[in-house]
Amino acid sequence: MKKTLPLLILILPSLLISCKKKNSFPVEASPISKAIKLETQTITKEQLDRIPEAYRVKVENGGTIEHITYLSKRYFGDGSQNEKKANVYLPAGYDKSDSSKKYKVLYLMHGIGGDENEWGMKDENSLVKKMMDNLTVKGDIQPFIIVTPNGRSGFDGNPDNNYLAFYEFGKELRNDLIPYIDSHYQTYPDRDHRAMAGLSMGGMQTINIGICECLDLISYFGAFSAAPTSYDAARVSSALTSHPELPVNYFYNICGTEDSIAYKAHSAAAKLLPRLTDTLKEQENFRWQEQHGGHDFGIWNLGFYNFAKIFGTSK
């Protein structure tokens, strides 16, 4: 024991320094790393089956997907000019030269580990495209445009800070992306025909940015497993109550009951909102959906399918 004690005294400071550098947990166990790992796991057949099979098949002569670039700024950073990428789904029959036909727009956001391609909106095999094509062809919804941007508004050389760029996206959405889409596509350029939705970090952006910063631009919202940094219900309800002239047409939420990353935070942000503000009413313009599942695309694809029907059947 006497020999061991001096050795411990020598080793302990090194251990404490090491723990401090690693934020008291190994990198692979950090919440960010865990979220990224879950986002990229393979979807099981059981999860996929939550979407009716008839809506998961390819449609001949369906919609198209365009890959665009637009100019923005590094709002998280030095404010310099920044060229951004996004994917745009255009429904079947869309004609850029026909200004008489207007479309609603959904801005669909990715999670912390993804980018504009995380929703798979890259080619004909896109599940989002298949669902949209089938919903439209079957007459379940009116067609609308979908935009999947990169939700990071800037870049930091320190990878530990990269996630902070998500919180500056509201400036990009307002100043750059929405103006670009409205000027290049046949859209209804008003809040009653715009929606924002997203998974995990994108769900946080829908709540923190869509509702609390851009309520004058957007009126339909969908949060799928919103990230732990989502504002709490008191702050969200305050933002809604402060603008009675800007009604919410619909706020849809879904989260897996076994989601150890998002359930606690998402429910704290949204589940009780109808009790805190008259702006939202159950069965009218608000839904909280709990579904067996974790932090995965089984929940998020189902969330998109349900939200697409809500937004696509609105006036």
Side-chain angles (χ1 to χ4, degrees):
M1 181 67 184
K2 289 181 179 180
K3 293 181 180 180
T4 305
L5 187 58
L7 183 61
L8 285 174
I9 293 173
L10 289 172
I11 293 175
L12 188 57
S14 297
L15 290 174
L16 291 174
I17 292 172
S18 176
C19 288
K20 185 176 181 180
K21 287 182 179 179
K22 294 182 180 180
N23 297 318
S24 300
F25 46 69
V27 173
E28 63 271 14
S30 74
I32 291 177
S33 297
K34 185 178 179 182
I36 293 173
K37 183 177 181 180
L38 291 173
E39 281 180 30
T40 56
Q41 68 185 2
T42 302
I43 302 172
T44 66
K45 184 180 184 302
E46 179 185 4
Q47 293 168 342
L48 195 60
D49 283 346
R50 288 174 176 163
I51 309 299
E53 184 176 0
Y55 292 82
R56 292 186 275 116
V57 298
K58 190 178 295 186
V59 173
E60 293 297 326
N61 301 315
T64 58
I65 293 176
E66 294 189 347
H67 309 291
I68 66 169
T69 59
Y70 62 96
L71 290 180
S72 182
K73 294 180 180 179
R74 293 179 175 85
Y75 292 104
F76 176 70
D78 59 8
S80 60
Q81 192 173 80
N82 189 24
E83 189 173 72
K84 296 291 295 292
K85 295 180 179 180
N87 302 317
V88 180
Y89 166 83
L90 300 172
Y94 178 87
D95 183 353
K96 286 187 177 180
S97 65
D98 183 6
S99 60
S100 66
K101 175 69 173 176
K102 303 295 184 182
Y103 293 84
K104 296 178 290 185
V105 184
L106 164 61
Y107 294 89
L108 185 62
M109 310 306 299
H110 61 83
I112 193 169
D115 56 22
E116 67 275 5
N117 295 321
E118 185 172 25
W119 277 100
M121 235 174 57
K122 296 181 290 185
D123 52 37
E124 292 292 315
N125 294 315
S126 163
L127 181 57
V128 167
K129 180 184 183 304
K130 291 174 182 176
M131 286 189 281
M132 284 297 297
D133 287 346
N134 280 287
L135 284 166
T136 304
V137 167
K138 292 174 173 53
D140 295 343
I141 65 171
Q142 292 297 313
F144 59 84
I145 295 170
I146 301 175
V147 181
T148 57
N150 186 317
R152 300 174 184 83
S153 288
F155 176 78
D156 189 306
N158 182 349
D160 292 335
N161 293 336
N162 280 344
Y163 73 94
L164 295 174
F166 283 96
Y167 299 90
E168 299 299 322
F169 183 74
K171 299 181 181 71
E172 179 178 326
L173 183 66
R174 178 181 295 276
N175 299 328
D176 310 312
L177 182 54
I178 287 179
Y180 179 92
I181 295 299
D182 284 345
S183 65
H184 286 74
Y185 295 94
Q186 305 294 354
T187 68
Y188 289 106
D190 60 70
R191 69 183 299 272
D192 283 330
H193 295 91
R194 287 195 197 107
M196 185 176 185
L199 68 89
S200 195
M201 187 66 86
M204 175 282 293
Q205 290 179 307
T206 298
I207 294 172
N208 292 21
I209 293 173
I211 294 177
C212 296
E213 293 181 20
C214 298
L215 197 59
D216 60 317
L217 301 176
I218 304 166
S219 64
Y220 289 86
F221 306 94
F224 319 145
S225 311
T229 49
S230 302
Y231 294 151
D232 62 24
R235 183 164 180 176
V236 179
S237 64
S238 176
L240 292 170
T241 305
S242 298
H243 296 283
E245 77 282 6
L246 300 173
V248 171
N249 282 325
Y250 211 99
F251 183 20
Y252 167 82
N253 299 267
I254 187 171
C255 194
T257 50
E258 287 72 49
D259 188 336
S260 60
I261 291 177
Y263 182 83
K264 183 177 180 180
H266 191 175
S267 58
K271 190 174 183 178
L272 300 181
L273 277 174
R275 300 184 187 180
L276 300 178
T277 174
D278 292 336
T279 304
L280 299 173
K281 292 181 171 59
E282 290 274 7
Q283 308 305 320
E284 291 185 19
N285 66 343
F286 177 87
R287 183 182 179 190
W288 171 265
Q289 181 179 2
E290 293 185 5
Q291 180 81 31
H292 171 70
H295 201 70
D296 56 59
F297 269 99
I299 294 293
W300 304 329
N301 283 327
L302 178 60
F304 170 81
Y305 173 76
N306 290 339
F307 186 68
K309 290 192 292 183
I310 292 169
F311 186 49
T313 54
S314 63
K315 295 182 180 180

